[in-house]
Amino acid sequence: MGLITKNELVYTDYSWTVLNGDNPKITGAPDSTLLNRNEGYEMLYFVNAFSEIHNFKNKVSALKAERLIKEKVPANIHSQENIKLWLEQNWSEN
């Protein structure tokens, strides 16, 4: 189980639909897959994966990742890996 749950995400504008071929329980490290910042399952997975990679123990850190993705990561950055890199490079400034 991840650090945060669906009910703990701060933003409420997510879509929670699972389309054919989508698996809300996908596991693995962030990769070249595009991250849909409006899809709740994708954001929850990504935030929890990022939290695990960085060994976050505090939910505040996971929610900071959510906030940065929604508000600060440039819109032209789409892949999970590039969003992960942006977060790592800009974490202390935000």
Side-chain angles (χ1 to χ4, degrees):
M1 180 172 200
L3 183 60
I4 61 171
T5 65
K6 173 181 176 177
N7 293 332
E8 293 172 312
L9 290 171
V10 172
Y11 295 82
T12 59
D13 60 344
Y14 295 116
S15 168
W16 292 95
T17 56
V18 179
L19 303 174
N20 272 342
D22 282 354
N23 181 349
K25 298 191 184 288
I26 291 175
T27 59
D31 57 18
S32 63
T33 305
L34 301 182
L35 176 65
N36 181 340
R37 300 172 203 205
N38 297 312
E39 177 55 54
Y41 289 116
E42 292 184 26
M43 284 290 291
L44 184 60
Y45 153 74
F46 182 86
V47 168
N48 279 323
F50 185 80
S51 297
E52 185 175 328
I53 289 166
H54 293 283
N55 202 29
F56 293 159
K57 302 295 184 202
N58 190 325
K59 293 181 183 198
V60 171
S61 295
L63 297 176
K64 177 179 177 178
E66 178 196 17
R67 177 182 59 80
L68 292 176
I69 294 166
K70 292 290 276 186
E71 296 181 12
K72 300 287 186 176
V73 175
N76 65 328
I77 299 176
H78 301 287
S79 75
Q80 292 178 15
E81 181 60 30
N82 287 337
I83 291 172
K84 175 184 167 285
L85 289 172
W86 188 95
L87 289 172
E88 291 167 348
Q89 293 169 354
N90 295 278
W91 189 262
S92 63
E93 298 172 18
N94 291 283

